[in-house]
Amino acid sequence: MAATEITNMVMVYDRDTRKAVVIERERSWQGIAFPGGHLEDGESIYDSAIREIYEETGLKIHNLVSCGFMHWFNNQTGDRYFTYFYKTCDYSGELIDRTDEGRVFWVDIDEIPRLRLAPNMEKYLVMFDGSYSEAFSSWNSESEHEIVFR
């Protein structure tokens, strides 16, 4: 039976300093990424993003703006994996230094592409600038995959 997994990723940024919160992930997939996580039962995608950001950063976020979604489709198993992207500059609280996911810190937005990014993060960055609303890729374990942006 095919599985569907739903996740979120949020760019929390400060307009004045032009910095964004990132996590240097050390588990499962490694490298720099925006915080986020998985949808839990009975939870909306929007609410899951708010919860995940609090758990991973210590920040309470508000007024999330949708930046679209990424849809991965495994053409052998039928499995689907969705990541919904949001951004916000409305937050409160104190940023924590670290979680079990890795180190958490602010970084200049222009520096992000030059960091050691998590897999596919360089492709995800275009979702946050408003150029696209959807990205799709069909993949299997034996082939390269192409991401189509719309």
Side-chain angles (χ1 to χ4, degrees):
M1 183 162 112
T4 299
E5 191 168 351
I6 299 173
T7 64
N8 60 70
M9 184 178 284
V10 181
M11 182 176 84
V12 180
Y13 65 99
D14 184 305
R15 280 191 189 127
D16 296 332
T17 64
R18 293 201 28 82
K19 291 187 177 191
V21 175
V22 296
I23 295 181
E24 187 173 18
R25 294 196 176 274
E26 299 167 351
R27 294 180 14 186
S28 63
W29 45 284
Q30 300 174 349
I32 299 293
F34 294 131
H38 292 82
L39 180 73
E40 292 184 357
D41 289 341
E43 190 174 49
S44 74
I45 298 166
Y46 187 95
D47 289 341
S48 75
I50 291 171
R51 176 188 49 76
E52 284 286 351
I53 298 313
Y54 182 72
E55 289 174 3
E56 291 191 358
T57 70
L59 299 177
K60 293 182 180 181
I61 59 174
H62 315 279
N63 302 319
L64 281 66
V65 175
S66 176
C67 299
F69 65 93
M70 175 72 210
H71 173 195
W72 294 95
F73 174 71
N74 186 308
N75 58 28
Q76 290 180 335
T77 66
D79 291 349
R80 296 174 185 275
Y81 187 92
F82 290 89
T83 300
Y84 288 82
F85 302 102
Y86 295 97
K87 65 182 176 181
T88 186
C89 61
D90 294 327
Y91 62 90
S92 61
E94 292 292 321
L95 189 69
I96 58 177
D97 294 332
R98 170 175 280 287
T99 71
D100 60 345
E101 298 285 339
R103 186 170 65 107
V104 182
F105 58 98
W106 291 97
V107 65
D108 187 287
I109 291 171
D110 296 330
E111 289 296 314
I112 294 171
R114 293 187 277 281
L115 300 175
R116 187 182 66 84
L117 300 176
N120 294 307
M121 185 63 186
E122 75 281 355
K123 296 172 181 99
Y124 295 161
L125 289 174
V126 301
M127 298 300 291
F128 295 96
D129 71 13
S131 298
Y132 303 98
S133 63
E134 178 183 353
F136 174 80
S137 182
S138 179
W139 97 96
N140 63 53
S141 60
E142 299 168 2
S143 68
E144 291 291 317
H145 57 270
E146 176 185 356
I147 299 176
V148 177
F149 293 91
R150 295 188 172 103

